Coordinates of all heavy atoms in Angstrom, one line a residue:
G1403 N 136.6 35.1 165.9 CA 137.8 34.6 166.4 C 138.7 33.9 165.5 O 139.6 33.2 166.0
L1404 N 138.5 34.0 164.2 CA 139.3 33.3 163.2 C 140.5 34.1 162.8 O 141.4 33.6 162.0 CB 138.5 32.9 162.0 CG 137.4 31.9 162.3 CD1 136.6 31.6 161.0 CD2 137.9 30.5 162.8
M1405 N 140.6 35.4 163.2 CA 141.7 36.2 162.9 C 142.0 37.1 164.2 O 141.1 37.7 164.7 CB 141.5 37.1 161.7 CG 142.6 38.0 161.3 SD 142.4 38.9 159.7 CE 143.0 37.6 158.6
S1406 N 143.3 37.2 164.5 CA 143.7 37.9 165.7 C 143.7 39.4 165.3 O 143.7 39.8 164.2 CB 145.0 37.5 166.2 OG 146.1 37.9 165.2
D1407 N 143.8 40.2 166.4 CA 144.0 41.7 166.3 C 145.2 42.0 165.5 O 145.3 42.9 164.6 CB 144.0 42.4 167.6 CG 142.7 42.4 168.4 OD1 141.7 42.0 167.7 OD2 142.7 42.7 169.6
D1408 N 146.3 41.3 165.8 CA 147.6 41.5 165.1 C 147.5 41.2 163.6 O 148.1 41.9 162.8 CB 148.7 40.8 165.8 CG 149.1 41.3 167.2 OD1 148.7 42.5 167.5 OD2 149.7 40.6 168.0
D1409 N 146.9 40.1 163.3 CA 146.8 39.7 161.9 C 145.9 40.7 161.1 O 146.3 41.0 160.0 CB 146.2 38.3 161.8 CG 147.1 37.2 162.3 OD1 148.3 37.5 162.5 OD2 146.7 36.0 162.4
L1410 N 144.9 41.1 161.7 CA 144.0 42.1 161.1 C 144.8 43.4 160.8 O 144.7 44.0 159.7 CB 142.8 42.4 161.9 CG 141.7 43.3 161.3 CD1 141.0 42.6 160.1 CD2 140.6 43.6 162.4
D1411 N 145.6 43.8 161.8 CA 146.4 45.0 161.7 C 147.4 44.9 160.6 O 147.6 45.8 159.8 CB 147.1 45.3 163.0 CG 147.9 46.6 162.9 OD1 147.4 47.6 162.8 OD2 149.2 46.4 163.0
E1412 N 148.0 43.7 160.5 CA 149.0 43.5 159.4 C 148.4 43.5 158.0 O 149.0 44.0 157.1 CB 149.7 42.1 159.7 CG 150.8 41.8 158.7 CD 151.5 40.4 158.9 OE1 151.3 39.9 160.0 OE2 152.1 39.9 158.0
L1413 N 147.3 42.8 158.0 CA 146.6 42.7 156.7 C 146.2 44.1 156.1 O 146.4 44.4 155.0 CB 145.4 41.8 156.7 CG 144.5 41.7 155.5 CD1 145.3 41.1 154.3 CD2 143.3 40.8 155.8
E1414 N 145.6 45.0 157.0 CA 145.1 46.3 156.6 C 146.3 47.2 156.1 O 146.0 48.0 155.3 CB 144.4 47.0 157.7 CG 145.1 47.4 158.8 CD 144.3 48.1 159.9 OE1 143.4 47.4 160.5 OE2 144.5 49.3 160.2
Q1415 N 147.5 46.9 156.5 CA 148.6 47.7 156.1 C 149.2 47.3 154.7 O 150.0 48.0 154.1 CB 149.7 47.7 157.1 CG 149.3 48.3 158.4 CD 150.4 48.4 159.4 OE1 151.5 48.8 159.1 NE2 150.2 47.9 160.6
V1416 N 148.8 46.1 154.2 CA 149.4 45.6 153.0 C 148.3 45.3 151.9 O 148.7 45.1 150.7 CB 150.2 44.3 153.2 CG1 151.3 44.6 154.1 CG2 149.3 43.2 153.7
A1417 N 147.0 45.4 152.2 CA 146.0 45.0 151.2 C 146.0 45.9 150.0 O 145.6 45.5 148.9 CB 144.6 45.0 151.9
C1418 N 146.2 47.2 150.2 CA 146.1 48.2 149.1 C 147.5 48.9 149.0 O 147.7 50.0 149.6 CB 145.0 49.2 149.5 SG 143.4 48.4 149.7
P1419 N 148.3 48.4 148.1 CA 149.7 48.8 148.1 C 150.1 50.0 147.1 O 151.2 50.4 147.0 CB 150.5 47.6 147.7 CG 149.5 46.9 146.8 CD 148.2 47.1 147.3
S1420 N 149.1 50.5 146.4 CA 149.4 51.5 145.4 C 148.2 52.4 145.1 O 147.1 52.2 145.6 CB 149.9 50.8 144.1 OG 148.8 50.3 143.4
A1421 N 148.4 53.4 144.2 CA 147.3 54.2 143.7 C 146.5 53.2 142.8 O 146.9 52.3 142.3 CB 147.8 55.4 142.9
G1422 N 145.2 53.6 142.6 CA 144.3 52.9 141.7 C 143.1 52.4 142.4 O 142.9 52.4 143.6
A1423 N 142.1 52.0 141.6 CA 140.8 51.5 142.1 C 140.9 50.1 142.4 O 141.8 49.4 142.0 CB 139.7 51.7 141.0
C1424 N 139.9 49.6 143.2 CA 139.9 48.2 143.7 C 140.2 47.2 142.5 O 139.6 47.4 141.5 CB 138.6 47.9 144.4 SG 138.2 48.9 145.8
G1425 N 141.1 46.3 142.8 CA 141.8 45.6 141.7 C 141.1 44.5 141.0 O 141.5 44.1 139.9
A1426 N 140.0 44.0 141.6 CA 139.3 42.9 141.0 C 138.1 43.4 140.1 O 138.0 44.6 139.9 CB 138.9 41.9 142.0
Q1427 N 137.3 42.5 139.6 CA 136.2 42.9 138.8 C 135.0 43.4 139.6 O 133.9 42.9 139.6 CB 135.8 41.8 137.8 CG 135.0 42.2 136.6 CD 135.8 43.0 135.6 OE1 136.9 43.4 135.9 NE2 135.3 43.3 134.4
F1428 N 135.3 44.4 140.4 CA 134.3 45.1 141.2 C 133.7 46.1 140.4 O 133.9 46.2 139.1 CB 135.0 45.6 142.5 CG 135.7 44.7 143.3 CD1 136.8 45.1 144.1 CD2 135.5 43.3 143.3 CE1 137.6 44.2 144.9 CE2 136.2 42.4 144.1 CZ 137.3 42.9 144.9
T1429 N 133.0 47.1 140.9 CA 132.3 48.1 140.1 C 133.2 48.9 139.2 O 132.9 49.2 138.0 CB 131.4 48.9 140.9 OG1 130.5 48.1 141.7 CG2 130.5 49.9 140.1
A1430 N 134.3 49.4 139.8 CA 135.1 50.3 139.0 C 135.7 49.6 137.8 O 135.6 50.2 136.7 CB 136.3 50.9 139.9

């Protein structure tokens, strides 16, 4: 309950804005 449905929906639309692999020092 710390994030609403609307906030989750907004975040998922902006989290990955371009081509390319995950941006931090993850596996890729």
